[in-house]
Amino acid sequence: MGEDGNDAVGWLVIVGLVLLAVALLTDSDSDSKPAASKPAVTGPPWEKRVEIARKLLKYCIDNAETGEEYYQEAERRLATGMGFIADKSIERACVYGHWRALLYLAVIRAINRKPDEAMRAFDKAVVKVNPAGIEPDDFRPKMFGMALAWLEAHSWQVKVWEDSIGRGHPGLSGAQLRAKAIEAIIETIPPLKP
């Protein structure tokens, strides 16, 4: 093949790429419809999440007093800046099916970027409070307060989240940035409503 052969192959490659580009553009334009807005976070269907939460709650030890003791211990430790020990107390309270501890655990797992664990803990808290499996209206505000308290005791996690949010919202600072970070944390847990 001489020089003419190389030119022919080159032209064929160029024509092929142009045709591919045109095909891709016309294919995507012909079916273009306004995109339906999807929720930021999706999870399994509501019924499946409730069913899983009910099954997981069966493994909890049914002793409300012990669960409350561990939860109170966790709150005391958190208030005194002993976050690691508070985390362990919250986990122990969750073993007893304490709903506030489960809600707190959901927030902690969301802060630690473990969305599946956060969703499971959240779902168990919802089913514990409302066996029908419908999220109470006051859960999100409670979670906001829990996230704020947790981040106050764990300043390094505040920095990580605020830096992450600050990149997308350069005009925010201080309390606005922290509030936006907490909002982003809570939004990683999909609502549990039919």
Side-chain angles (χ1 to χ4, degrees):
M1 271 177 116
E3 196 173 305
D4 291 334
N6 287 338
D7 286 342
V9 171
W11 278 109
L12 284 175
V13 170
I14 291 172
V15 169
L17 290 174
V18 168
L19 288 174
L20 179 63
V22 169
L24 290 174
L25 287 173
T26 56
D27 185 41
S28 65
D29 287 343
S30 65
D31 295 333
S32 65
K33 297 175 187 167
S37 63
K38 290 184 178 179
V41 178
T42 59
W46 171 76
E47 298 88 0
K48 186 80 170 161
R49 287 176 61 191
V50 171
E51 179 186 327
I52 291 168
R54 285 185 182 134
K55 286 179 181 176
L56 291 173
L57 277 174
K58 287 181 182 178
Y59 294 105
C60 292
I61 300 168
D62 193 17
N63 188 336
E65 288 178 26
T66 305
E68 182 64 27
E69 287 173 17
Y70 280 123
Y71 183 75
Q72 293 299 325
E73 177 185 326
E75 284 194 325
R76 282 191 303 275
R77 305 238 171 165
L78 193 58
T80 59
M82 299 167 66
F84 178 74
I85 298 172
D87 188 15
K88 296 301 174 193
S89 296
I90 287 170
E91 287 176 1
R92 283 190 214 115
C94 289
V95 169
Y96 294 95
H98 191 278
W99 73 268
R100 283 189 314 242
L102 287 165
L103 197 58
Y104 225 123
L105 186 64
V107 170
I108 294 167
R109 295 303 179 249
I111 289 171
N112 292 331
R113 299 179 193 272
K114 297 179 180 177
D116 291 338
E117 291 179 31
M119 186 174 66
R120 279 193 300 273
F122 176 76
D123 292 352
K124 288 193 291 185
V126 169
V127 171
K128 186 72 175 182
V129 170
N130 184 356
I134 300 171
E135 176 184 333
D137 292 335
D138 65 341
F139 263 32
R140 299 285 163 167
K142 284 180 182 176
M143 292 165 65
F144 193 93
M146 290 173 172
L148 181 61
W150 189 261
L151 290 173
E152 292 288 328
H154 298 84
S155 58
W156 65 273
Q157 287 181 318
V158 172
K159 180 90 172 104
V160 169
W161 274 93
E162 287 181 353
D163 287 350
S164 174
I165 297 300
R167 285 190 288 274
H169 300 85
L172 297 179
S173 63
Q176 291 175 326
L177 187 58
R178 181 155 307 169
K180 195 74 170 167
I182 292 172
E183 195 176 292
I185 290 165
I186 303 304
E187 286 176 359
T188 62
I189 303 171
L192 189 61
K193 293 187 178 181

